[in-house]
Amino acid sequence: KDEEVMMKQDGAMMQSVTLAMKEQNNSRQMGTATITDVEGKAKVVINVAAGAKNVAEPAHIHLGACPTPGAVAYPLSAVMNGVSETMINVSVSELLGKLPLAVNVHKSAAEAKIYVSCGDIAADAMMMKK
């Protein structure tokens, strides 16, 4: 218990946002994206139903909201077989200060205008892990 209290007091408490990734364009690629603060940087983990096998699906945090987000705010690692993990050089708190934002996955580099999965980042989804 004392250790937990100290963690909270020194500001090391982890912040996490989990969002629902919704399918787009009948892709059947739904799932979640979790954004966790790791030592002041945001770790973005996307888990969606896999698209075409071994096809890199570009992913980004975009300005705006689903289903038609705007410009790319932060590039993310491409989703491969349903999974992507990226560390971005911004904290979760900074991200939440820039809302509205959305995590968006594209069908492929060649078909980047076709969105297959999108999820809105919402401040009310913020969880404080204990």
Side-chain angles (χ1 to χ4, degrees):
K1 274 188 169 179
D2 291 338
E3 213 171 275
E4 279 183 30
V5 172
M6 285 193 296
M7 266 179 43
K8 289 177 189 173
Q9 287 175 342
D10 72 9
M13 192 161 43
M14 289 179 70
Q15 295 178 318
S16 176
V17 178
T18 299
L19 46 137
M21 295 293 291
K22 298 178 181 161
E23 75 169 316
Q24 292 194 291
N25 297 306
N26 299 312
S27 69
R28 298 187 179 178
Q29 287 186 261
M30 55 201 105
T32 61
T34 303
I35 305 170
T36 307
D37 200 88
V38 179
E39 297 176 3
K41 294 182 180 177
K43 177 180 174 182
V44 182
V45 178
I46 300 171
N47 284 292
V48 294
K53 189 172 182 165
N54 298 323
V55 172
E57 297 176 308
H60 309 94
I61 294 177
H62 288 258
L63 301 173
C66 302
T68 53
V72 172
Y74 302 96
L76 301 173
S77 298
V79 174
M80 285 293 286
N81 302 318
V83 180
S84 166
E85 186 174 308
T86 312
M87 290 295 291
I88 56 175
N89 201 12
V90 63
S91 70
V92 172
S93 297
E94 288 175 83
L95 271 182
L96 294 176
K98 296 179 180 187
L99 296 180
L101 294 169
V103 174
N104 195 37
V105 181
H106 306 261
K107 186 171 182 179
S108 66
E111 296 179 282
K113 291 185 179 184
I114 300 174
Y115 300 160
V116 294
S117 192
C118 192
D120 291 322
I121 299 171
D124 60 4
M126 172 72 92
M127 294 182 331
M128 298 303 269
K129 288 189 177 177
K130 294 178 183 172

